[in-house]
Amino acid sequence: MAHCDYTGTVLLVLLEMLSLCAVQCNQMRNVAIYKECGISSRHSENEGLYISGNCSSAINGNTNTTFDITKQPPNCIHTSLEDNRPFWWVDLGQEFTVHKITIYGRRGQEQRMTGVKVWLDSSLVKTFPGATEDITVTTDLSLQANQRGRVVNITRNLVSPSDKVPLLNICEVQVWVCDTVWWGNNCQNPCSAYCLGRGEENSCDPEDGSCLKGCSDGHYNKTNGCQNTCGEGCHDTCSRTDGTCQCRPGWQPPLCQQCSDGHYIVSNNCQNTCGEGCHDTCNKTDGTCQCRPGWHPPLCQHCMDGHYNMSNDCQNTCGEGCNNTCSRTDGTCQCQTDWQPPLCQYEKSSDEKEKTTLIWHLAGGIGGGVFIFLIGTLFGMCLGRCRGREQRRWSIPPLADILSPCDQSELQPRNYENVLSISSHEYEALDKRDVSQKASGTHVNRRDYENTPVTMTTGVHHSSQTLDPTALTYT
């Protein structure tokens, strides 16, 4: 049972390794295939009838590790038996960041890899061990330092026990770099989508991801994959190198990524200006600042309570006599008693107080008199109506009934106006019962009586006789 568990674990590990290799191979590419190369010598047999492959036999993509010199062209290189200092090289055509070099030796002749040295330009990448048992037919040389280079060179100066000279007998050499859209130690990171020419050869650096051909529009800083975007306040696009641009009003040059001094709120296009009462510039995010004395925090855009007149730096204080705080614009307020409006900064003088008191008294007296007058007028009108209704019940007897026959013959019309003189008040003062008793049958028309003064003259002597009010009769 334990054996099954062990076998299962090994299989899982192998599957994971194969999966990782597949991923890495998909993200890497071999840049050595069919590139320019060279070799120090070629092995021949049968008096030159058969000859080993040229230098390109090791970079033709054929990874078969079986060497057969009779097949043309052979798929492996084999240096001459007389060559004591063999070498082979390939020029990658340009400098690359190399992640891995894979070497396929000759199956059955693995010992011919002992002492082999692999170079990238002038840097030694690997020296194979001298013990044959430590060498496999296929070897992956991972360059953890991600070395950069152009020429891969392979040499050997150690002779294996079965050979007389240090032969080079290699079937394939692969030089792995990150594919065009990947970078990193294992080519696990995708190149930035903002790299110019993404997907093309060397669009980004396989080691650090920097965009080798520059940044696309609207982005800058190729060293970090053009992840920096142009400032929101740029008037147009920015420099793809450093992001500088011409700013719109209210934005801070040279990158135009934040509001300039004296402005705030990026979301409002930096059109908000700091409060006039700020001690210094305000916060570019929310406009808050330290206020000068007299200004209202946190924005310092108007005077604080108890101060007014922004044009005077809010140094004016509300009047002492204000019933509450004053207007922050002009200082006007509702005054307490005996304070001078509209600013309530001074108390009224004694004369002003007396004048005010007198005015109020006069106003009270006049108001009271007007009120009494109105009440009296209304009362008089009501009383007059009542009396009018009573007086219509009285009448004055005809003058002929009051005068004697003799007096009537002597009556002259032109003197009639002076005959009898009686006023309405005298008429009203008469006792109606007495009039009925003393002048029974004598009638005087009320209208004539009330409106016409009468003086009666009798006889030849024109003696004046005043009409006896008792001669009136109530009808």
Side-chain angles (χ1 to χ4, degrees):
M1 191 71 180
H3 176 72
C4 293
D5 292 342
Y6 174 77
T7 303
T9 301
V10 172
L11 288 174
L12 287 174
V13 171
L14 289 174
L15 288 174
E16 289 181 0
M17 292 176 65
L18 289 173
S19 176
L20 178 61
C21 178
V23 171
Q24 288 180 341
C25 290
N26 288 334
Q27 297 171 183
M28 292 184 183
R29 58 195 176 98
N30 176 21
V31 293
I33 192 167
Y34 297 125
K35 294 294 177 64
E36 184 181 356
C37 62
I39 191 170
S40 59
S41 62
R42 296 169 66 184
H43 173 63
S44 64
E45 295 180 2
N46 241 355
E47 296 182 352
L49 180 62
Y50 302 107
I51 189 169
S52 66
N54 59 22
C55 65
S56 62
S57 297
I59 51 174
N60 61 3
N62 187 350
T63 58
N64 187 354
T65 58
T66 300
F67 175 69
D68 186 354
I69 196 171
T70 63
K71 290 184 178 181
Q72 296 297 321
N75 66 313
C76 302
I77 62 169
H78 192 309
T79 58
S80 172
L81 298 177
E82 290 79 22
D83 190 354
N84 292 319
R85 299 181 65 86
F87 63 83
W88 174 94
W89 58 266
V90 59
D91 186 349
L92 304 178
Q94 65 181 58
E95 189 176 84
F96 284 97
T97 298
V98 179
H99 292 266
K100 182 173 67 173
I101 298 175
T102 303
I103 298 178
Y104 295 83
R106 178 180 175 183
R107 187 173 298 279
Q109 296 291 336
E110 290 85 353
Q111 75 279 2
R112 289 182 175 175
M113 293 297 299
T114 58
V116 170
K117 294 182 178 181
V118 181
W119 304 76
L120 179 60
D121 289 347
S122 58
S123 298
L124 181 63
V125 175
K126 171 74 175 180
T127 299
F128 282 79
T132 304
E133 60 272 14
D134 295 333
I135 300 175
T136 60
V137 66
T138 303
T139 305
D140 283 327
L141 308 178
S142 296
L143 282 69
Q144 298 299 329
N146 294 333
Q147 298 177 29
R148 294 185 66 85
R150 175 171 176 166
V151 177
V152 175
N153 191 19
I154 298 177
T155 63
R156 186 185 182 205
N157 58 9
L158 182 66
V159 179
S160 57
S162 60
D163 295 320
K164 297 180 180 179
V165 293
L167 297 171
L168 277 178
N169 198 185
I170 298 173
C171 293
E172 190 70 18
V173 177
Q174 296 172 334
V175 182
W176 297 98
V177 300
C178 287
D179 202 356
T180 54
V181 293
W182 298 91
W183 67 277
N185 290 334
N186 295 312
C187 301
Q188 73 277 14
N189 302 315
C191 294
S192 171
Y194 307 117
C195 287
L196 196 64
R198 185 176 185 268
E200 300 175 0
E201 184 75 18
N202 291 329
S203 62
C204 80
D205 189 290
E207 184 176 353
D208 58 19
S210 61
C211 298
L212 299 177
K213 297 182 179 181
C215 303
S216 58
D217 284 344
H219 295 81
Y220 70 96
N221 193 2
K222 64 181 183 180
T223 60
N224 74 340
C226 299
Q227 295 298 318
N228 298 75
T229 56
C230 295
E232 185 179 348
C234 286
H235 185 268
D236 201 351
T237 190
C238 66
S239 166
R240 297 178 183 180
T241 302
D242 56 12
T244 57
C245 65
Q246 181 182 359
C247 296
R248 297 196 304 271
W251 292 85
Q252 178 71 43
L255 299 181
C256 314
Q257 293 176 333
Q258 61 181 6
C259 297
S260 61
D261 290 344
H263 294 77
Y264 67 97
I265 302 187
V266 169
S267 61
N268 193 31
N269 204 22
C270 294
Q271 294 306 297
N272 297 70
T273 56
C274 297
E276 184 181 348
C278 287
H279 185 267
D280 201 352
T281 189
C282 65
N283 184 291
K284 295 180 180 181
T285 301
D286 57 11
T288 57
C289 64
Q290 182 182 359
C291 295
R292 297 197 302 273
W295 292 85
H296 192 281
L299 299 181
C300 315
Q301 293 177 333
H302 54 77
C303 298
M304 65 188 304
D305 289 344
H307 292 75
Y308 69 96
N309 195 356
M310 286 173 28
S311 61
N312 193 32
D313 203 22
C314 292
Q315 294 305 299
N316 299 73
T317 56
C318 296
E320 184 180 352
C322 286
N323 193 46
N324 204 340
T325 190
C326 65
S327 166
R328 295 173 179 175
T329 303
D330 56 12
T332 57
C333 63
Q334 182 181 1
C335 294
Q336 300 174 16
T337 305
D338 293 336
W339 287 83
Q340 181 68 45
L343 299 181
C344 313
Q345 293 176 334
Y346 305 101
E347 286 192 275
K348 296 179 180 178
S349 63
S350 300
D351 292 342
E352 288 176 326
K353 292 179 182 178
E354 292 177 0
K355 289 178 181 178
T356 302
T357 303
L358 178 60
I359 289 172
W360 279 108
H361 287 171
L362 289 174
I366 293 172
V370 171
F371 178 75
I372 293 173
F373 173 77
L374 292 174
I375 294 299
T377 302
L378 292 174
F379 180 76
M381 291 173 64
C382 292
L383 182 60
R385 290 180 180 178
C386 293
R387 287 178 176 175
R389 285 194 295 270
E390 290 295 329
Q391 288 174 359
R392 281 194 295 270
R393 299 173 59 189
W394 292 81
S395 64
I396 301 175
L399 189 59
D401 294 338
I402 298 174
L403 301 178
S404 64
C406 182
D407 294 331
Q408 294 178 20
S409 62
E410 296 294 329
L411 183 61
Q412 300 296 327
R414 65 178 179 272
N415 294 326
Y416 180 76
E417 294 179 355
N418 299 321
V419 172
L420 180 61
S421 176
I422 183 170
S423 67
S424 62
H425 296 289
E426 291 172 333
Y427 172 78
E428 290 175 355
L430 295 177
D431 190 318
K432 297 177 177 61
R433 291 173 298 178
D434 294 340
V435 172
S436 176
Q437 295 174 0
K438 295 179 181 180
S440 177
T442 304
H443 300 277
V444 178
N445 182 274
R446 178 183 179 187
R447 183 179 58 190
D448 298 335
Y449 171 71
E450 288 180 344
N451 298 326
T452 307
V454 179
T455 301
M456 183 174 65
T457 304
T458 62
V460 176
H461 303 287
H462 298 280
S463 61
S464 174
Q465 181 179 352
T466 304
L467 179 64
D468 186 354
T470 61
L472 300 176
T473 300
Y474 178 77
T475 60

